[in-house]
Amino acid sequence: MLTKARIAVFVSGGGTNLEALLQAQESGAIPHGEIVLVCASNETAYALTRAANHGVTGVAVPKKGRTQAEFEVELTRHLTEHRIDLIVLAGFLSILSEEFVKQWPERIVNVHPSLIPSFCGKGMYGLKVHEAALAKGVKVTGATVHLVNEIPDGGRILLQKAVEILPDDTAETLQRRVMEQAEWVLLPQATEMLCKQITES
């Protein structure tokens, strides 16, 4: 029987990227991995409902009212309990410390809604990325999946996919197309690639 890497997905909101991962898993597109835990930084995150709908354990680990150390101790407790091999950041808006990231070398993957190095860095998340792309007047944007390391916004790029910007795009229509054409395609691919490396190492 195929050994599968155990995956935790970190989320903060609606969980559309989580849904893409869960559907990819169910379709057989992530044969070397299994999503066994969803950690939400917000107790009301709809992503927790998505996890439940797919029979995956979901836990809320809110940052509010906790120190960074307390927050990460709680995350680590859940990761340890579920014997996690790989963390996927899928719209996770809480910052992780260098100390936390160092404990997971080459085992944390993130998706960003632009072609890094464009439109990334502090304050660049969600619609702000697409607003910046439209304000700059670029003709092409996209998404990037990269490994996270202790350098802010650093890490090795795994996959990128370009998405055309249309003349009548708004930040909202562009965001949706980048998700559909790039994020929801790349994130399962990168997750499977890393899970395969983990199980074969």
Side-chain angles (χ1 to χ4, degrees):
M1 187 174 175
L2 178 66
T3 300
K4 295 190 176 188
R6 296 172 65 82
I7 305 165
V9 182
F10 285 13
V11 295
S12 291
T16 52
N17 281 329
L18 169 65
E19 185 70 31
L21 284 164
L22 290 165
Q23 290 184 12
Q25 175 178 279
E26 290 166 3
S27 73
I30 310 178
H32 291 85
E34 180 183 6
I35 299 167
V36 298
L37 179 66
V38 172
C39 291
S41 63
N42 176 356
E43 294 141 318
T44 61
Y46 184 69
L48 292 171
T49 300
R50 292 184 190 272
N53 289 344
H54 289 267
V56 175
T57 299
V59 296
V61 185
K63 175 74 165 63
K64 191 173 181 180
R66 287 186 166 115
T67 65
Q68 185 72 23
E70 290 168 342
F71 173 60
E72 292 178 351
V73 163
E74 182 71 2
L75 285 174
T76 299
R77 182 176 71 79
H78 289 293
L79 296 172
T80 302
E81 284 178 0
H82 288 83
R83 306 187 314 281
I84 297 303
D85 299 303
L86 176 68
I87 299 169
V88 178
L89 306 181
F92 188 64
L93 300 181
S94 294
I95 301 298
L96 297 170
S97 71
E98 288 188 22
E99 289 71 26
F100 181 91
V101 171
K102 283 177 182 176
Q103 295 174 49
W104 296 86
E106 307 282 293
R107 296 292 180 93
I108 303 177
V109 65
N110 186 38
V111 62
H112 184 74
S114 77
L115 297 174
I116 292 175
S118 298
F119 312 114
C120 63
K122 189 172 181 179
M124 279 291 165
Y125 61 89
L127 275 179
K128 294 179 182 180
V129 177
H130 306 293
E131 289 168 351
L134 291 173
K136 190 75 173 176
V138 296
K139 302 301 182 188
V140 175
T141 186
T144 302
V145 177
H146 63 100
L147 288 170
V148 177
N149 63 22
E150 60 269 22
I151 302 168
D153 302 309
R156 179 161 54 90
I157 290 175
L158 298 175
L159 297 169
Q160 289 187 308
K161 190 172 191 299
V163 174
E164 184 182 4
I165 295 178
L166 303 178
D168 60 348
D169 263 331
T170 63
E172 289 79 10
T173 60
L174 183 57
Q175 179 184 51
R176 182 73 187 184
R177 201 163 60 259
V178 168
M179 286 192 296
E180 290 175 347
Q181 294 182 12
E183 293 181 50
W184 297 349
V185 175
L186 297 181
L187 199 52
Q189 287 178 356
T191 299
E192 165 57 16
M193 184 168 66
L194 290 169
C195 287
K196 190 170 188 290
Q197 289 176 9
I198 289 167
T199 57
E200 292 181 351
S201 63

